[in-house]
Amino acid sequence: MLGLHAIDLARFQFAFTVSFHIIFPAFSIGLASYLMVLEGLWLKTGKDVYIKLYHFWIRIFAVAFGLGVVSGVVMAYEFGTNWSGFAEKAGDITGVLLTYEVLTAFFLEAGFLGIMLFGQARVSKRLHFLATCMVAIGTLISATWILMSNSWMQTPAGFEMVDGRFEPVSWLEIMFNPSFPYRLLHMVLAAFISVSFVVGGVGGYHLLRDKTDKAARKMFSMAMWMAVVTLPIQIMVGDAHGLNTLEHQPAKLAAMEGYWGPKSGETGVPLTLFALPNMETAQNDYALEIPNLASLYLTHSLHGEIQGLNSFPKDEWPDVPLVFWSFRIMVGLGMAMLGIGVLGLFLRWRKRLYDTRWFHRLTFFTLPIGFIAIVAGWVTTEAGRQPWVIYGLLKTVDAVSPLNAGSVAASLSGFIVVYAIIFGIGIYYMAKLIRKEPMGDVPDGGPGHERHPKRPFSVVEQELDDEEVRS
Protein backbone atom coordinates (compact mmCIF):
# COMPACT_ATOMS: atom_id res chain seq x y z
CA MET A 1 0.00 0.00 0.00
CA LEU A 2 3.08 2.24 -0.06
CA GLY A 3 2.83 5.16 -2.48
CA LEU A 4 -0.98 5.27 -2.49
CA HIS A 5 -2.83 8.41 -1.46
CA ALA A 6 -5.55 8.51 1.19
CA ILE A 7 -8.27 8.90 -1.45
CA ASP A 8 -7.05 5.81 -3.32
CA LEU A 9 -7.04 3.76 -0.11
CA ALA A 10 -10.47 5.08 0.91
CA ARG A 11 -11.88 4.12 -2.49
CA PHE A 12 -10.30 0.68 -2.31
CA GLN A 13 -11.60 0.17 1.24
CA PHE A 14 -15.16 0.99 0.22
CA ALA A 15 -14.83 -1.19 -2.89
CA PHE A 16 -13.53 -4.05 -0.75
CA THR A 17 -16.33 -3.86 1.82
CA VAL A 18 -19.14 -3.36 -0.68
CA SER A 19 -17.88 -6.23 -2.86
CA PHE A 20 -18.39 -8.56 0.10
CA HIS A 21 -21.64 -6.92 1.12
CA ILE A 22 -23.40 -6.97 -2.25
CA ILE A 23 -23.19 -10.76 -2.48
CA PHE A 24 -25.14 -11.46 0.70
CA PRO A 25 -28.10 -9.08 0.21
CA ALA A 26 -28.43 -10.43 -3.35
CA PHE A 27 -28.41 -13.96 -1.90
CA SER A 28 -30.99 -12.95 0.72
CA ILE A 29 -33.29 -11.30 -1.85
CA GLY A 30 -33.37 -14.33 -4.12
CA LEU A 31 -33.43 -16.95 -1.40
CA ALA A 32 -36.20 -15.27 0.62
CA SER A 33 -38.45 -15.28 -2.44
CA TYR A 34 -37.52 -18.92 -3.12
CA LEU A 35 -38.45 -19.83 0.46
CA MET A 36 -41.77 -18.03 0.04
CA VAL A 37 -42.48 -20.07 -3.11
CA LEU A 38 -41.51 -23.33 -1.40
CA GLU A 39 -43.75 -22.77 1.61
CA GLY A 40 -46.61 -21.57 -0.59
CA LEU A 41 -46.35 -24.71 -2.74
CA TRP A 42 -46.31 -26.86 0.39
CA LEU A 43 -49.48 -25.20 1.71
CA LYS A 44 -51.18 -25.59 -1.68
CA THR A 45 -50.13 -29.17 -2.50
CA GLY A 46 -49.30 -30.69 0.89
CA LYS A 47 -46.23 -32.38 -0.63
CA ASP A 48 -43.51 -32.95 1.95
CA VAL A 49 -40.71 -32.33 -0.55
CA TYR A 50 -41.44 -28.60 -0.52
CA ILE A 51 -41.34 -28.19 3.25
CA LYS A 52 -38.21 -30.31 3.51
CA LEU A 53 -36.53 -28.05 0.96
CA TYR A 54 -37.80 -25.04 2.93
CA HIS A 55 -36.10 -26.29 6.09
CA PHE A 56 -32.96 -27.16 4.17
CA TRP A 57 -32.60 -23.63 2.75
CA ILE A 58 -33.86 -21.56 5.67
CA ARG A 59 -30.74 -22.30 7.73
CA ILE A 60 -28.53 -21.20 4.87
CA PHE A 61 -30.68 -18.08 4.50
CA ALA A 62 -30.21 -17.23 8.19
CA VAL A 63 -26.41 -17.33 7.88
CA ALA A 64 -26.40 -15.27 4.65
CA PHE A 65 -28.80 -12.71 6.15
CA GLY A 66 -26.56 -12.30 9.21
CA LEU A 67 -23.44 -11.84 7.09
CA GLY A 68 -25.25 -9.24 4.99
CA VAL A 69 -26.20 -7.23 8.08
CA VAL A 70 -22.65 -7.34 9.47
CA SER A 71 -21.09 -6.14 6.22
CA GLY A 72 -23.75 -3.48 5.68
CA VAL A 73 -23.21 -1.83 9.06
CA VAL A 74 -19.53 -1.27 8.22
CA MET A 75 -20.38 0.73 5.10
CA ALA A 76 -22.68 3.04 7.05
CA TYR A 77 -19.74 4.01 9.28
CA GLU A 78 -17.49 4.52 6.26
CA PHE A 79 -19.75 7.29 4.97
CA GLY A 80 -18.93 9.27 8.10
CA THR A 81 -15.29 8.36 8.56
CA ASN A 82 -14.01 8.29 4.96
CA TRP A 83 -16.57 10.27 2.97
CA SER A 84 -17.64 13.15 5.19
CA GLY A 85 -17.59 15.56 2.23
CA PHE A 86 -20.23 13.46 0.50
CA ALA A 87 -22.28 13.09 3.71
CA GLU A 88 -22.19 16.85 4.31
CA LYS A 89 -23.15 17.86 0.77
CA ALA A 90 -25.67 15.12 -0.11
CA GLY A 91 -26.79 13.83 3.30
CA ASP A 92 -30.12 15.69 3.13
CA ILE A 93 -31.09 13.37 0.25
CA THR A 94 -29.16 10.11 0.57
CA GLY A 95 -29.41 10.10 4.37
CA VAL A 96 -33.21 10.31 4.19
CA LEU A 97 -33.44 7.48 1.64
CA LEU A 98 -31.20 5.21 3.72
CA THR A 99 -33.15 6.09 6.88
CA TYR A 100 -36.40 5.02 5.24
CA GLU A 101 -34.71 1.76 4.25
CA VAL A 102 -34.10 1.09 7.95
CA LEU A 103 -37.55 2.27 9.10
CA THR A 104 -39.45 0.19 6.54
CA ALA A 105 -37.51 -2.74 5.16
CA PHE A 106 -35.16 -3.51 8.03
CA PHE A 107 -37.86 -3.24 10.69
CA LEU A 108 -40.19 -5.41 8.60
CA GLU A 109 -37.50 -8.06 8.14
CA ALA A 110 -36.44 -7.95 11.79
CA GLY A 111 -40.04 -8.10 13.02
CA PHE A 112 -40.93 -11.25 11.09
CA LEU A 113 -37.54 -12.94 10.84
CA GLY A 114 -37.83 -14.41 14.35
CA ILE A 115 -41.20 -15.98 13.52
CA MET A 116 -39.82 -17.27 10.23
CA LEU A 117 -36.74 -18.86 11.81
CA PHE A 118 -38.06 -20.00 15.19
CA GLY A 119 -41.84 -19.95 15.03
CA GLN A 120 -42.55 -23.11 13.05
CA ALA A 121 -43.78 -25.02 16.11
CA ARG A 122 -45.43 -22.03 17.78
CA VAL A 123 -47.75 -20.44 15.21
CA SER A 124 -50.20 -21.66 12.60
CA LYS A 125 -49.02 -22.67 9.17
CA ARG A 126 -50.66 -19.68 7.50
CA LEU A 127 -49.22 -17.21 9.99
CA HIS A 128 -45.79 -18.69 9.47
CA PHE A 129 -46.23 -18.36 5.72
CA LEU A 130 -47.21 -14.71 6.25
CA ALA A 131 -43.95 -14.17 8.15
CA THR A 132 -41.98 -15.71 5.28
CA CYS A 133 -43.79 -13.45 2.80
CA MET A 134 -43.07 -10.37 4.91
CA VAL A 135 -39.36 -11.17 5.08
CA ALA A 136 -39.26 -11.71 1.31
CA ILE A 137 -41.10 -8.43 0.69
CA GLY A 138 -38.80 -6.71 3.18
CA THR A 139 -35.71 -7.73 1.20
CA LEU A 140 -37.26 -6.29 -1.97
CA ILE A 141 -38.20 -3.04 -0.20
CA SER A 142 -34.64 -2.79 1.11
CA ALA A 143 -33.27 -3.17 -2.41
CA THR A 144 -35.69 -0.50 -3.60
CA TRP A 145 -34.49 2.18 -1.14
CA ILE A 146 -30.80 1.35 -1.59
CA LEU A 147 -31.08 1.48 -5.37
CA MET A 148 -33.07 4.71 -5.20
CA SER A 149 -30.12 6.26 -3.38
CA ASN A 150 -27.50 4.79 -5.70
CA SER A 151 -29.48 5.64 -8.83
CA TRP A 152 -29.88 9.23 -7.69
CA MET A 153 -26.10 9.46 -7.40
CA GLN A 154 -25.86 8.14 -10.98
CA THR A 155 -28.66 10.27 -12.47
CA PRO A 156 -29.42 13.08 -9.98
CA ALA A 157 -32.80 14.82 -10.20
CA GLY A 158 -35.31 16.72 -8.06
CA PHE A 159 -32.82 18.92 -6.15
CA GLU A 160 -31.38 22.40 -5.97
CA MET A 161 -27.97 23.60 -4.81
CA VAL A 162 -28.02 25.70 -1.63
CA ASP A 163 -24.64 26.85 -0.27
CA GLY A 164 -22.91 23.92 -1.95
CA ARG A 165 -25.41 21.36 -0.57
CA PHE A 166 -27.91 19.21 -2.46
CA GLU A 167 -31.35 20.15 -1.11
CA PRO A 168 -34.50 18.22 -2.07
CA VAL A 169 -37.12 19.93 -4.19
CA SER A 170 -39.21 16.98 -5.43
CA TRP A 171 -38.98 13.68 -3.61
CA LEU A 172 -40.86 11.93 -6.42
CA GLU A 173 -38.19 13.02 -8.90
CA ILE A 174 -35.43 12.05 -6.46
CA MET A 175 -36.84 8.58 -5.80
CA PHE A 176 -37.94 7.84 -9.36
CA ASN A 177 -34.91 9.33 -11.04
CA PRO A 178 -34.19 8.42 -14.69
CA SER A 179 -32.07 5.29 -14.08
CA PHE A 180 -33.90 3.89 -11.03
CA PRO A 181 -36.46 1.57 -12.72
CA TYR A 182 -33.81 -0.07 -14.91
CA ARG A 183 -31.32 -0.42 -12.08
CA LEU A 184 -33.88 -1.93 -9.67
CA LEU A 185 -35.21 -4.50 -12.12
CA HIS A 186 -31.71 -5.38 -13.31
CA MET A 187 -30.47 -5.97 -9.74
CA VAL A 188 -33.50 -7.95 -8.54
CA LEU A 189 -33.35 -10.20 -11.60
CA ALA A 190 -29.61 -10.65 -11.00
CA ALA A 191 -30.37 -11.77 -7.43
CA PHE A 192 -32.98 -14.28 -8.63
CA ILE A 193 -30.64 -15.63 -11.31
CA SER A 194 -27.69 -15.92 -8.92
CA VAL A 195 -29.77 -17.85 -6.38
CA SER A 196 -31.14 -20.11 -9.12
CA PHE A 197 -27.56 -21.13 -9.93
CA VAL A 198 -26.78 -21.68 -6.25
CA VAL A 199 -29.88 -23.85 -5.86
CA GLY A 200 -29.10 -25.62 -9.13
CA GLY A 201 -25.48 -26.20 -8.12
CA VAL A 202 -26.52 -27.66 -4.76
CA GLY A 203 -29.16 -29.79 -6.50
CA GLY A 204 -26.52 -31.01 -8.96
CA TYR A 205 -24.20 -31.88 -6.07
CA HIS A 206 -26.85 -34.02 -4.39
CA LEU A 207 -27.87 -35.64 -7.68
CA LEU A 208 -24.25 -36.73 -8.12
CA ARG A 209 -24.54 -38.46 -4.76
CA ASP A 210 -27.98 -39.94 -5.42
CA LYS A 211 -29.89 -39.25 -8.64
CA THR A 212 -33.10 -40.59 -7.04
CA ASP A 213 -33.04 -37.96 -4.27
CA LYS A 214 -36.52 -36.47 -4.50
CA ALA A 215 -35.62 -33.11 -2.98
CA ALA A 216 -32.49 -32.74 -5.11
CA ARG A 217 -34.48 -33.42 -8.27
CA LYS A 218 -37.11 -30.88 -7.29
CA MET A 219 -34.67 -28.07 -6.45
CA PHE A 220 -32.63 -28.80 -9.58
CA SER A 221 -35.73 -28.69 -11.78
CA MET A 222 -36.98 -25.43 -10.22
CA ALA A 223 -33.54 -23.82 -10.59
CA MET A 224 -33.22 -24.73 -14.27
CA TRP A 225 -36.70 -23.38 -15.01
CA MET A 226 -35.85 -20.14 -13.20
CA ALA A 227 -32.62 -19.72 -15.15
CA VAL A 228 -34.12 -20.29 -18.58
CA VAL A 229 -37.08 -17.96 -17.91
CA THR A 230 -35.30 -15.03 -16.20
CA LEU A 231 -32.11 -14.78 -18.28
CA PRO A 232 -33.81 -13.70 -21.54
CA ILE A 233 -35.76 -11.10 -19.52
CA GLN A 234 -32.51 -9.93 -17.95
CA ILE A 235 -30.91 -9.49 -21.37
CA MET A 236 -33.82 -7.28 -22.48
CA VAL A 237 -33.67 -5.26 -19.25
CA GLY A 238 -29.89 -4.94 -19.61
CA ASP A 239 -30.32 -3.62 -23.14
CA ALA A 240 -32.82 -1.00 -21.93
CA HIS A 241 -30.48 -0.11 -19.06
CA GLY A 242 -27.64 0.36 -21.55
CA LEU A 243 -29.74 2.74 -23.66
CA ASN A 244 -30.57 4.68 -20.48
CA THR A 245 -26.85 4.88 -19.70
CA LEU A 246 -26.16 6.11 -23.23
CA GLU A 247 -28.63 8.95 -22.66
CA HIS A 248 -27.62 9.99 -19.14
CA GLN A 249 -24.00 8.78 -18.69
CA PRO A 250 -22.45 8.77 -22.16
CA ALA A 251 -18.85 8.72 -20.90
CA LYS A 252 -19.53 5.54 -18.94
CA LEU A 253 -21.14 3.94 -21.99
CA ALA A 254 -18.17 4.89 -24.16
CA ALA A 255 -15.80 3.28 -21.63
CA MET A 256 -17.94 0.13 -21.53
CA GLU A 257 -17.70 -0.12 -25.31
CA GLY A 258 -14.05 0.94 -25.42
CA TYR A 259 -15.02 3.60 -27.98
CA TRP A 260 -12.76 6.61 -28.33
CA GLY A 261 -14.45 8.21 -31.32
CA PRO A 262 -14.85 7.65 -35.06
CA LYS A 263 -11.74 6.79 -37.02
CA SER A 264 -10.97 8.36 -40.35
CA GLY A 265 -13.49 7.16 -42.94
CA GLU A 266 -15.38 5.07 -40.38
CA THR A 267 -19.17 5.25 -40.08
CA GLY A 268 -20.87 3.50 -37.20
CA VAL A 269 -19.58 2.06 -33.93
CA PRO A 270 -17.91 -1.38 -33.89
CA LEU A 271 -18.46 -4.02 -31.24
CA THR A 272 -15.05 -4.56 -29.65
CA LEU A 273 -14.80 -8.19 -28.60
CA PHE A 274 -11.24 -7.97 -27.32
CA ALA A 275 -8.83 -5.08 -26.80
CA LEU A 276 -6.34 -3.57 -24.42
CA PRO A 277 -7.65 -0.01 -23.97
CA ASN A 278 -4.75 2.44 -23.81
CA MET A 279 -5.65 5.68 -22.02
CA GLU A 280 -2.30 7.26 -22.89
CA THR A 281 -2.75 6.96 -26.66
CA ALA A 282 -6.58 7.05 -26.54
CA GLN A 283 -6.94 3.91 -28.63
CA ASN A 284 -7.41 0.16 -28.31
CA ASP A 285 -4.37 -2.07 -28.72
CA TYR A 286 -4.79 -5.53 -30.31
CA ALA A 287 -8.47 -4.84 -30.98
CA LEU A 288 -10.78 -7.52 -32.37
CA GLU A 289 -13.89 -5.77 -33.69
CA ILE A 290 -17.14 -6.45 -35.54
CA PRO A 291 -17.88 -3.34 -37.61
CA ASN A 292 -21.13 -1.41 -36.94
CA LEU A 293 -22.60 -3.98 -34.56
CA ALA A 294 -22.50 -1.66 -31.51
CA SER A 295 -24.33 0.97 -33.58
CA LEU A 296 -27.06 -1.56 -34.26
CA TYR A 297 -27.83 -2.40 -30.62
CA LEU A 298 -27.16 1.11 -29.27
CA THR A 299 -28.88 3.24 -31.90
CA HIS A 300 -30.84 0.59 -33.84
CA SER A 301 -29.06 1.75 -36.97
CA LEU A 302 -26.00 0.25 -38.64
CA HIS A 303 -24.48 3.70 -39.09
CA GLY A 304 -25.63 5.33 -35.84
CA GLU A 305 -23.05 7.37 -33.91
CA ILE A 306 -22.45 7.81 -30.18
CA GLN A 307 -20.12 10.08 -28.26
CA GLY A 308 -16.61 8.69 -27.96
CA LEU A 309 -14.31 9.27 -25.00
CA ASN A 310 -12.35 11.83 -27.00
CA SER A 311 -15.37 14.15 -26.86
CA PHE A 312 -15.01 14.42 -23.06
CA PRO A 313 -12.22 16.12 -21.07
CA LYS A 314 -9.52 13.60 -20.24
CA ASP A 315 -9.81 14.31 -16.51
CA GLU A 316 -13.45 13.13 -16.69
CA TRP A 317 -12.62 9.72 -18.15
CA PRO A 318 -13.26 6.72 -15.93
CA ASP A 319 -10.69 3.94 -15.67
CA VAL A 320 -11.39 2.66 -19.18
CA PRO A 321 -9.60 -0.74 -19.01
CA LEU A 322 -11.35 -1.58 -15.72
CA VAL A 323 -14.81 -0.61 -16.98
CA PHE A 324 -14.24 -2.21 -20.40
CA TRP A 325 -13.26 -5.59 -18.96
CA SER A 326 -15.66 -5.70 -16.00
CA PHE A 327 -18.51 -5.09 -18.45
CA ARG A 328 -17.33 -7.95 -20.66
CA ILE A 329 -16.98 -10.30 -17.70
CA MET A 330 -20.56 -9.52 -16.66
CA VAL A 331 -21.96 -9.99 -20.17
CA GLY A 332 -19.84 -13.08 -20.84
CA LEU A 333 -20.97 -14.77 -17.64
CA GLY A 334 -24.57 -13.81 -18.40
CA MET A 335 -24.37 -15.51 -21.80
CA ALA A 336 -22.73 -18.56 -20.19
CA MET A 337 -25.60 -18.79 -17.69
CA LEU A 338 -28.12 -18.51 -20.53
CA GLY A 339 -26.31 -21.33 -22.31
CA ILE A 340 -26.52 -23.53 -19.19
CA GLY A 341 -30.24 -22.75 -18.86
CA VAL A 342 -30.91 -23.64 -22.51
CA LEU A 343 -28.83 -26.81 -22.15
CA GLY A 344 -30.93 -27.76 -19.11
CA LEU A 345 -34.09 -27.19 -21.16
CA PHE A 346 -32.72 -29.44 -23.91
CA LEU A 347 -31.88 -32.21 -21.42
CA ARG A 348 -35.33 -31.89 -19.88
CA TRP A 349 -36.86 -32.31 -23.34
CA ARG A 350 -34.68 -35.41 -23.84
CA LYS A 351 -35.72 -36.65 -20.38
CA ARG A 352 -32.07 -36.69 -19.30
CA LEU A 353 -32.09 -33.80 -16.83
CA TYR A 354 -31.62 -35.99 -13.75
CA ASP A 355 -29.32 -38.58 -15.33
CA THR A 356 -26.64 -36.48 -17.06
CA ARG A 357 -23.80 -36.46 -14.55
CA TRP A 358 -21.50 -34.15 -16.49
CA PHE A 359 -24.26 -31.52 -16.48
CA HIS A 360 -24.67 -31.93 -12.72
CA ARG A 361 -20.92 -31.36 -12.30
CA LEU A 362 -21.14 -28.32 -14.55
CA THR A 363 -23.92 -26.76 -12.45
CA PHE A 364 -22.01 -27.50 -9.24
CA PHE A 365 -18.80 -25.86 -10.47
CA THR A 366 -20.70 -22.83 -11.79
CA LEU A 367 -22.57 -22.37 -8.48
CA PRO A 368 -21.03 -18.91 -7.76
CA ILE A 369 -21.20 -17.65 -11.36
CA GLY A 370 -24.12 -15.31 -10.72
CA PHE A 371 -22.39 -13.56 -7.81
CA ILE A 372 -19.23 -13.07 -9.86
CA ALA A 373 -21.37 -11.44 -12.55
CA ILE A 374 -23.03 -9.20 -9.92
CA VAL A 375 -19.66 -7.98 -8.61
CA ALA A 376 -18.45 -7.37 -12.18
CA GLY A 377 -21.64 -5.42 -12.90
CA TRP A 378 -21.17 -3.37 -9.74
CA VAL A 379 -17.59 -2.52 -10.78
CA THR A 380 -18.89 -1.44 -14.19
CA THR A 381 -21.53 0.79 -12.60
CA GLU A 382 -19.40 2.40 -9.91
CA ALA A 383 -16.03 2.63 -11.67
CA GLY A 384 -17.82 3.88 -14.79
CA ARG A 385 -19.24 6.81 -12.79
CA GLN A 386 -15.78 8.05 -11.82
CA PRO A 387 -14.40 10.62 -11.34
CA TRP A 388 -17.82 11.60 -9.99
CA VAL A 389 -19.56 10.57 -6.78
CA ILE A 390 -22.71 12.38 -7.91
CA TYR A 391 -22.52 12.20 -11.67
CA GLY A 392 -21.50 15.47 -13.29
CA LEU A 393 -21.88 17.46 -10.05
CA LEU A 394 -19.64 16.25 -7.21
CA LYS A 395 -16.23 14.71 -7.80
CA THR A 396 -14.81 11.94 -5.66
CA VAL A 397 -11.85 14.08 -4.65
CA ASP A 398 -14.26 16.63 -3.15
CA ALA A 399 -16.23 13.99 -1.23
CA VAL A 400 -13.42 12.33 0.73
CA SER A 401 -12.67 13.09 4.39
CA PRO A 402 -9.43 14.85 5.38
CA LEU A 403 -7.57 11.64 6.18
CA ASN A 404 -3.96 10.55 6.13
CA ALA A 405 -2.97 7.47 4.18
CA GLY A 406 -1.60 5.67 7.25
CA SER A 407 -4.89 5.65 9.16
CA VAL A 408 -6.86 4.42 6.11
CA ALA A 409 -4.26 1.74 5.43
CA ALA A 410 -4.45 0.55 9.03
CA SER A 411 -8.25 0.29 9.00
CA LEU A 412 -8.20 -1.38 5.59
CA SER A 413 -5.71 -3.99 6.82
CA GLY A 414 -7.94 -4.62 9.83
CA PHE A 415 -10.99 -5.06 7.61
CA ILE A 416 -9.17 -7.57 5.41
CA VAL A 417 -8.18 -9.69 8.41
CA VAL A 418 -11.57 -9.52 10.15
CA TYR A 419 -13.52 -10.16 6.95
CA ALA A 420 -11.32 -13.13 6.11
CA ILE A 421 -12.12 -14.66 9.50
CA ILE A 422 -15.83 -13.83 9.76
CA PHE A 423 -16.80 -14.51 6.18
CA GLY A 424 -14.51 -17.52 5.97
CA ILE A 425 -16.29 -19.09 8.94
CA GLY A 426 -19.73 -18.12 7.57
CA ILE A 427 -19.08 -19.57 4.14
CA TYR A 428 -17.56 -22.72 5.67
CA TYR A 429 -20.67 -23.20 7.81
CA MET A 430 -22.97 -22.68 4.81
CA ALA A 431 -20.95 -25.27 2.90
CA LYS A 432 -21.50 -27.73 5.77
CA LEU A 433 -25.23 -27.09 5.65
CA ILE A 434 -25.28 -27.57 1.89
CA ARG A 435 -23.70 -31.03 2.23
CA LYS A 436 -26.59 -32.28 4.38
CA GLU A 437 -29.26 -34.48 2.82
CA PRO A 438 -32.34 -32.31 2.11
CA MET A 439 -34.91 -35.10 2.51
CA GLY A 440 -33.64 -36.07 5.96
CA ASP A 441 -33.71 -32.56 7.36
CA VAL A 442 -37.06 -32.41 9.22
CA PRO A 443 -39.85 -34.81 10.16
CA ASP A 444 -42.94 -34.97 7.97
CA GLY A 445 -45.60 -32.40 8.59
CA GLY A 446 -43.65 -29.18 8.49
CA PRO A 447 -44.03 -26.06 10.60
CA GLY A 448 -46.87 -26.04 13.07
CA HIS A 449 -47.44 -29.79 12.72
CA GLU A 450 -46.59 -30.59 16.32
CA ARG A 451 -47.26 -27.34 18.18
CA HIS A 452 -47.29 -27.44 21.98
CA PRO A 453 -49.63 -25.08 23.88
CA LYS A 454 -46.98 -24.79 26.57
CA ARG A 455 -43.23 -24.91 26.02
CA PRO A 456 -40.95 -25.94 28.94
CA PHE A 457 -38.79 -23.11 30.28
CA SER A 458 -36.11 -25.29 31.85
CA VAL A 459 -34.46 -28.66 31.63
CA VAL A 460 -36.47 -29.80 34.69
CA GLU A 461 -39.77 -28.94 33.02
CA GLN A 462 -38.62 -30.74 29.88
CA GLU A 463 -37.84 -33.85 31.94
CA LEU A 464 -41.28 -33.64 33.62
CA ASP A 465 -42.95 -33.42 30.23
CA ASP A 466 -40.95 -36.42 29.01
CA GLU A 467 -41.94 -38.38 32.12
CA GLU A 468 -45.60 -37.55 31.45
CA VAL A 469 -45.28 -38.88 27.93
CA ARG A 470 -43.63 -42.11 29.14
CA SER A 471 -46.32 -42.74 31.75
Side-chain angles (χ1 to χ4, degrees):
M1 297 180 186
L2 294 176
L4 292 176
H5 298 291
I7 186 172
D8 300 315
L9 292 168
R11 288 179 62 193
F12 184 79
Q13 179 171 299
F14 195 82
F16 173 78
T17 51
V18 79
S19 294
F20 274 90
H21 174 69
I22 197 172
I23 292 171
F24 295 103
F27 196 16
S28 298
I29 291 167
L31 196 51
S33 294
Y34 181 55
L35 289 167
M36 179 177 66
V37 169
L38 287 173
E39 191 167 10
L41 287 172
W42 172 68
L43 288 173
K44 181 176 176 62
T45 66
K47 293 181 179 179
D48 287 339
V49 65
Y50 293 118
I51 199 60
K52 289 179 182 293
L53 282 175
Y54 179 92
H55 276 268
F56 176 80
W57 283 106
I58 195 172
R59 296 172 183 175
I60 298 167
F61 171 80
V63 178
F65 188 89
L67 292 174
V69 171
V70 169
S71 57
V73 168
V74 171
M75 291 193 302
Y77 283 107
E78 284 185 51
F79 282 125
T81 58
N82 293 1
W83 302 102
S84 59
F86 168 76
E88 179 186 1
K89 292 178 172 64
D92 289 344
I93 292 177
T94 59
V96 171
L97 295 176
L98 297 179
T99 298
Y100 273 107
E101 188 263 339
V102 174
L103 292 176
T104 57
F106 192 74
F107 280 12
L108 185 65
E109 293 167 335
F112 286 95
L113 186 65
I115 300 173
M116 180 183 175
L117 296 178
F118 307 112
Q120 295 95 332
R122 295 168 174 81
V123 300
S124 69
K125 296 175 182 179
R126 294 189 182 278
L127 180 55
H128 189 269
F129 178 57
L130 175 65
T132 303
C133 292
M134 291 299 100
V135 171
I137 292 170
T139 62
L140 294 172
I141 294 174
S142 179
T144 299
W145 287 112
I146 294 296
L147 288 167
M148 275 181 184
S149 177
N150 182 267
S151 298
W152 180 82
M153 294 162 65
Q154 304 277 349
T155 52
F159 68 94
E160 64 179 0
M161 299 300 296
V162 179
D163 298 328
R165 295 168 60 91
F166 294 84
E167 297 293 340
V169 172
S170 170
W171 280 106
L172 282 178
E173 291 183 20
I174 289 169
M175 294 191 304
F176 300 99
N177 58 80
S179 67
F180 165 69
Y182 305 96
R183 207 175 300 278
L184 176 65
L185 192 54
H186 195 55
M187 183 64 206
V188 170
L189 283 170
F192 289 164
I193 291 166
S194 298
V195 168
S196 74
F197 273 82
V198 172
V199 173
V202 173
Y205 168 76
H206 286 286
L207 286 174
L208 286 170
R209 299 172 69 181
D210 178 8
K211 69 178 182 179
T212 66
D213 188 319
K214 189 177 176 183
R217 290 164 73 100
K218 179 61 67 176
M219 77 168 89
F220 193 70
S221 175
M222 294 176 76
M224 291 300 103
W225 276 124
M226 189 68 177
V228 81
V229 169
T230 53
L231 275 157
I233 300 173
Q234 180 71 307
I235 291 172
M236 291 188 289
V237 171
D239 178 65
H241 191 13
L243 296 177
N244 179 265
T245 303
L246 174 62
E247 179 181 356
H248 296 282
Q249 296 178 297
K252 177 194 289 188
L253 193 282
M256 290 161 59
E257 295 294 336
Y259 183 63
W260 305 92
K263 300 173 184 175
S264 178
E266 181 183 67
T267 59
V269 182
L271 168 62
T272 305
L273 297 174
F274 175 89
L276 299 179
N278 190 326
M279 294 181 68
E280 294 296 324
T281 61
Q283 65 181 16
N284 294 326
D285 298 333
Y286 310 106
L288 176 62
E289 300 175 340
I290 301 177
N292 299 88
L293 187 55
S295 286
L296 184 62
Y297 62 72
L298 289 172
T299 68
H300 300 160
S301 168
L302 277 174
H303 302 288
E305 294 291 343
I306 67 171
Q307 283 183 278
L309 285 160
N310 286 327
S311 63
F312 301 95
K314 195 167 184 178
D315 63 352
E316 294 183 7
W317 290 358
D319 187 327
V320 181
L322 178 61
V323 176
F324 178 86
W325 278 110
S326 63
F327 177 66
R328 272 147 187 76
I329 291 170
M330 179 189 69
V331 173
L333 293 178
M335 298 308 295
M337 288 186 282
L338 178 61
I340 292 171
V342 171
L343 187 55
L345 187 63
F346 173 75
L347 291 173
R348 190 190 300 273
W349 174 64
R350 295 293 303 272
K351 302 188 186 303
R352 299 288 301 168
L353 184 63
Y354 308 119
D355 303 317
T356 309
R357 293 180 63 82
W358 64 263
F359 185 63
H360 302 156
R361 290 192 185 93
L362 175 64
T363 57
F364 176 67
F365 285 115
T366 55
L367 184 150
I369 188 172
F371 297 123
I372 299 172
I374 284 177
V375 172
W378 173 83
V379 171
T380 302
T381 296
E382 301 306 310
R385 181 179 57 190
Q386 296 300 317
W388 307 99
V389 170
I390 299 175
Y391 192 78
L393 297 169
L394 178 64
K395 286 194 171 182
T396 305
V397 69
D398 299 319
V400 71
S401 301
L403 299 166
N404 63 74
S407 62
V408 184
S411 62
L412 174 58
S413 301
F415 278 135
I416 292 173
V417 172
V418 172
Y419 272 44
I421 295 170
I422 293 176
F423 290 100
I425 293 172
I427 293 170
Y428 171 76
Y429 183 62
M430 281 195 285
K432 286 189 67 176
L433 293 174
I434 283 170
R435 288 197 294 268
K436 290 186 175 182
E437 294 290 340
M439 286 304 288
D441 205 46
V442 292
D444 293 341
H449 180 64
E450 295 178 345
R451 293 195 310 277
H452 296 282
K454 169 179 165 301
R455 190 169 181 82
F457 293 99
S458 68
V459 176
V460 175
E461 287 187 48
Q462 178 69 69
E463 290 175 350
L464 289 172
D465 281 3
D466 292 343
E467 185 62 30
E468 250 187 345
V469 171
R470 284 195 295 270
S471 62

